[in-house]
């Protein structure tokens, strides 16, 4: 898949998590031994979003599957997974969601009727608290800073957002590039983007 691996842990034991074409897999980093496997098959075989950990929950999504929240726990020295919820309408395409103050912010979209929507999601239920449609045709990318969210829209606008669970709150906007599907980077106060 296009998804990047991510590192997490359960009871201080490290787990390397991959989202593949067929599911989400947790491996021991030192040996590669499989710890768990969560079915999540994208019909296009192109999972692009990286799984995200929020508390004890692992969030994973694709554009045709939707999203799933899975609780991770340790039982008798084994990692136990239990699905907390599934939301078939919460379809992340390109951008990986970000966690801010125990809530998920995700850009969702569809291929059949393309429109990208920013959503604030309650990770305990998988339900959207609010939506902002039209942040792109297929996607927009989110990044977290200390106090804010940065969203690079597909059309090249960089938007500064206040993380807020009650509604969309835009603080500033500037056109920084032309049409882009590339993920930006943020480091030491410098925002790096390509189009």
């Amino acid at each position: 898949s296009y998804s990047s691996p991510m590192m997490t842990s359960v009871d201080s034991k490290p787990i390397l998590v991959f989202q593949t074409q067929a599911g989400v897999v947790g491996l021991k980093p030192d040996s590669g031994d499989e710890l768990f496997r969560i079915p999540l098959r994208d019909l296009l075989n192109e999972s692009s979003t990286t799984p995200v950990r929020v508390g004890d929950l692992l969030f994973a999504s694709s554009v045709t599957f939707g999203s799933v929240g899975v609780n991770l726990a340790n039982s008798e020295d084994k990692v136990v997974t239990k699905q907390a919820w599934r939301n078939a309408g919460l379809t992340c395409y390109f951008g990986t969601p970000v966690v801010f103050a125990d809530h998920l912010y995700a850009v969702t979209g569809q291929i059949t009727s393309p429109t990208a929507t920013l959503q604030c999601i309650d990770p305990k239920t998988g339900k959207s608290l609010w939506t902002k449609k039209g942040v792109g045709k297929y996607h927009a990318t989110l990044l977290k800073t200390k106090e804010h969210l940065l969203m690079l829209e597909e059309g090249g606008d960089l938007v500064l957002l206040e993380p807020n669970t009650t509604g969309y709150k835009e603080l500033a906007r500037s056109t920084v590039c032309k049409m882009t599907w590339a993920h930006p980077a943020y480091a030491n106060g410098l925002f790096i983007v390509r189009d």
Side-chain angles (χ1 to χ4, degrees), residues 56-143:
D56 291 333
L57 189 91
L58 186 66
F59 172 89
S61 182
S62 80
V63 71
T64 63
F65 176 88
S67 296
V68 64
V70 177
N71 289 312
L72 301 180
N74 194 18
S75 177
E76 298 178 6
D77 209 29
K78 292 184 179 179
V79 177
V80 177
T81 63
K82 182 179 179 184
Q83 183 174 309
W85 51 263
R86 177 164 179 213
N87 185 336
L90 194 60
T91 54
C92 296
Y93 191 13
F94 284 34
T96 294
V98 298
V99 178
F100 203 110
D102 297 326
H103 283 81
L104 284 164
Y105 294 84
V107 176
T108 60
Q110 296 180 353
I111 296 173
T112 51
S113 55
T115 183
T117 302
L118 175 63
Q119 299 192 43
C120 177
I121 302 156
D122 180 350
K124 293 175 184 169
T125 64
K127 294 183 180 175
S128 182
L129 301 175
W130 57 259
T131 62
K132 167 68 173 162
K133 293 185 178 181
V135 297
K137 183 175 181 181
Y138 291 103
H139 86 108
T141 303
L142 293 169
L143 291 175

Side-chain angles (χ1 to χ4, degrees), residues 27-68:
L27 307 176
K28 286 185 178 179
D30 57 351
S31 66
D33 291 343
E34 186 174 308
L35 296 168
F36 64 81
R37 181 176 295 266
I38 302 162
L40 190 160
R41 179 170 290 281
D42 184 80
L43 297 178
L44 302 176
N45 291 326
E46 59 175 35
S47 295
S48 301
T49 59
T50 298
V52 176
R53 183 81 182 268
V54 50
D56 291 333
L57 189 91
L58 186 66
F59 172 89
S61 182
S62 80
V63 71
T64 63
F65 176 88
S67 296
V68 64

